[in-house]
């Protein structure tokens, strides 16, 4: 019973990072403990059953390369929660060095930005829980994003939207 509030807090924190809804972006980020990342996202040209799909990519530019790809499907794009638009989706993340996770995605649009996230169960050197938390501030045509995840404690990103 003591673990239930802690689990709830972790799940709540885990439900944010890149928005669920697909966007076209390109940019870079900086994590103090890891270095610079190139990152971007694309709206994929196929919509099975009318579901919007997208791909998010991050590549760590250092001597220890890391590549992260998130395939996402925006399953419920028009939900409203406390007068704020909410999107719920499903994501499959693929990582190099080898890792794969599957789980829910959630985005909550707030004035001028979005609070978004991921949570996934999978494999990365054994059973692994992947998570991410972030906030994106839209300054059209740019976006500023601050996030944390199981891959880095803090990442600040600047993205161009088109």
């Amino acid at each position: 019973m003591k673990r239930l509030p802690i689990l709830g807090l972790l799940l709540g924190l885990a439900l944010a990072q890149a928005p669920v809804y697909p966007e076209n972006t390109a940019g870079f980020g900086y994590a103090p403990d890891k270095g610079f990342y190139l990152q971007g996202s694309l709206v994929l040209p196929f919509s099975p059953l009318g579901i919007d799909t997208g791909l998010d990519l991050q590549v760590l530019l250092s001597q220890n390369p890391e590549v992260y790809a998130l395939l996402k499907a925006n399953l419920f794009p028009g939900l409203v929660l406390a007068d704020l638009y909410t999107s719920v989706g499903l994501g499959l993340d693929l990582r190099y060095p080898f890792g794969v996770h599957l789980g829910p995605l959630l985005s909550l649009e707030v004035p001028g930005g979005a609070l978004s996230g991921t949570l996934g169960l999978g494999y990365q050197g054994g059973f692994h829980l992947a998570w991410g938390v972030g906030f994106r501030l839209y300054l059209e045509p740019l976006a500023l994003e601050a996030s944390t995840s199981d891959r880095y404690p803090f990442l600040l990103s600047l993205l161009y939207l088109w």
Side-chain angles (χ1 to χ4, degrees):
M1 196 67 166
K2 291 179 184 179
R3 293 183 184 176
L4 190 58
I6 293 171
L7 181 61
L9 176 63
L10 288 176
L11 288 175
L13 289 175
L15 292 174
Q17 194 143 326
V20 174
Y21 43 86
E23 296 178 306
N24 290 320
T25 68
F28 64 92
Y30 178 74
D33 62 326
K34 292 205 172 190
F36 285 95
Y37 283 86
L38 284 180
Q39 63 187 76
S41 57
L42 295 170
V43 176
L44 294 178
F46 53 88
S47 298
L49 303 172
I51 298 171
D52 292 333
T53 58
L55 173 67
D56 294 345
L57 293 170
Q58 281 184 334
V59 177
L60 176 63
L61 302 175
S62 77
Q63 296 172 344
N64 299 325
E66 274 183 24
V67 178
Y68 171 81
L70 174 66
L71 295 163
K72 58 188 178 181
N74 191 2
L75 301 176
F76 301 102
L79 302 176
V80 177
L81 179 66
D83 294 334
L84 299 172
Y85 287 105
T86 304
S87 296
V88 177
L90 183 65
L92 172 67
D93 86 36
L94 306 170
R95 302 175 183 201
Y96 172 82
F98 182 74
V100 62
H101 302 86
L102 179 68
L105 308 172
L106 176 74
S107 288
L108 180 67
E109 294 180 41
V110 296
L115 178 63
S116 304
T118 65
L119 180 66
L121 294 175
Y123 179 85
Q124 186 167 334
F127 177 76
H128 187 255
L129 176 66
W131 59 272
V133 177
F135 178 73
R136 185 174 284 184
L137 178 64
Y138 290 104
L139 308 164
E140 300 292 336
L142 300 175
L144 184 62
E145 182 177 84
S147 61
T148 185
S149 76
D150 63 300
R151 296 178 297 121
Y152 43 76
F154 179 74
L155 178 71
L156 186 60
S157 304
L158 181 64
L159 302 168
Y160 176 74
L161 308 161
W162 80 86

